[in-house]
Amino acid sequence: GADAPHVFTLRTMADSRGIIAKATGAKRAVVIGASFIGLEVAASLRARGVEVDVVAPETVPLARVLGDAIGAMVKKVHEEHGVRFHLGTSPSAIEAGSVVLATGSRLPADLVVAGVGVKPDLSLAQQAGLTIDRGVVVDDQLRTSAPGVWAVGDVARWPDPRSGDRIRVEHWVVAGRMGQIAAKNVLGAAVRCDIVPFFWSAHFDLVVNYVGHAEGWDRIDVAGSIEGRDAAVAYRKGGKTLAVATIGRDRAALEAGLSMENGDERALSKLVPPS
């Protein structure tokens, strides 16, 4: 039932307008996926007076990116605003007026929004014979394996100077900056891609800022109080700070980004001391 007319994804402005138009007359919505997109849609729909159920396979929303503590706090904020969670399960069918879960239960739904992630379209790169690894592999100047071909944006996987890993980042600002770097390199400037990714995510009156990129960590250090919505949280691996999330500390987010750009681990340790 994913192709039914009351089922939406959110990838374009037209999608956004379609969801808003449908929400105007909707009473109950089911959001599939407890990702940033899914939860931001849930908050927006609740602000429009729509009853919202969120269905997702994980046990703690956003834990894969932000850890259990921030994920649990974001979930609590949503619940305080009336969002109902159905975690540890997934939909098995979407019907005209409901979503059927794998557990067999049925959730009423006039509107369904799926926020379950996307995959990069690699077909053109594959046809061209470019090196592929869950994205188009590029070097630190965003050159692909083919002479005279660069790749940027969500599709490109580049060497991250902080973690030493190849990363692929789906953030709007990152895509824009990669385009600038590639344009300079096409002209022979030999500029290294050392972008510090960042994004923010708003949930009702809660905003989480995130700088850096951590696909995994061996420790999480917290300065302040996550529950009190006043905290800076560092995600570290091998003694190096890969990312910092902040709540209610916008200055700390800016300082963390600058310290990462400068490779100043000492400043990051001062900002969020190891516990």
Side-chain angles (χ1 to χ4, degrees):
D3 57 351
H6 68 299
V7 180
F8 294 83
T9 56
L10 179 53
R11 297 171 187 165
T12 67
M13 182 65 76
D15 292 339
S16 175
R17 289 172 175 157
I19 293 169
I20 291 170
K22 185 66 176 178
T24 302
K27 295 182 178 179
R28 295 286 299 270
V30 170
V31 174
I32 301 171
S35 63
F36 291 105
I37 288 289
L39 293 183
E40 289 172 8
V41 167
S44 182
L45 291 174
R46 284 297 298 133
R48 288 172 165 79
V50 180
E51 296 293 313
V52 177
D53 291 275
V54 174
V55 179
E58 60 264 44
T59 55
V60 180
L62 307 178
R64 184 179 62 82
V65 178
L66 298 176
D68 288 342
I70 293 182
M73 188 269 290
V74 172
K75 177 175 178 282
K76 181 180 178 182
V77 168
H78 277 263
E79 289 175 331
E80 289 172 350
H81 286 83
V83 176
R84 293 177 291 267
F85 285 88
H86 308 266
L87 302 175
T89 188
S90 58
S92 61
I94 300 174
E95 300 177 345
S98 64
V99 173
V100 182
L101 304 186
T103 57
S105 58
R106 185 176 262 98
L107 302 175
D110 309 309
L111 164 65
V112 177
V113 181
V116 295
V118 295
K119 292 181 180 180
D121 184 352
L122 303 176
S123 57
L124 178 61
Q126 289 170 329
Q127 292 169 23
L130 304 183
T131 299
I132 302 295
D133 176 18
R134 297 167 294 156
V136 178
V137 175
V138 296
D139 65 11
D140 63 357
Q141 294 183 27
L142 304 179
R143 295 174 296 199
T144 70
S145 58
V149 180
W150 284 256
V152 302
D154 295 9
V155 76
R157 184 174 292 277
W158 86 94
D160 175 26
R162 276 155 291 279
S163 67
D165 299 327
R166 289 189 178 274
I167 62 174
R168 190 177 66 81
V169 177
E170 298 175 356
H171 302 334
W172 184 88
V173 173
V174 170
R177 290 189 61 189
M178 290 176 83
Q180 295 169 353
I181 292 169
K184 291 176 181 178
N185 290 337
V186 166
L187 297 173
V191 177
R192 184 167 175 246
C193 181
D194 58 357
I195 297 169
V196 177
F198 76 92
F199 69 88
W200 66 91
S201 185
H203 306 265
F204 303 101
D205 59 343
L206 171 72
V207 177
V208 179
N209 293 306
Y210 184 99
V211 294
H213 185 84
E215 296 186 6
W217 52 80
D218 51 33
R219 65 180 296 154
I220 296 178
D221 295 312
V222 180
S225 170
I226 293 175
E227 280 293 325
R229 303 191 193 182
D230 177 24
V233 180
Y235 304 84
R236 293 180 166 127
K237 188 174 184 179
K240 183 177 291 187
T241 305
L242 301 182
V244 173
T246 63
I247 302 165
R249 296 190 177 190
D250 291 352
R251 182 183 177 91
L254 295 172
E255 291 175 348
L258 183 60
S259 297
M260 287 183 190
E261 286 181 358
N262 295 332
D264 192 346
E265 188 62 37
R266 186 174 180 181
L268 290 165
S269 294
K270 185 177 179 180
L271 184 69
V272 185
S275 54

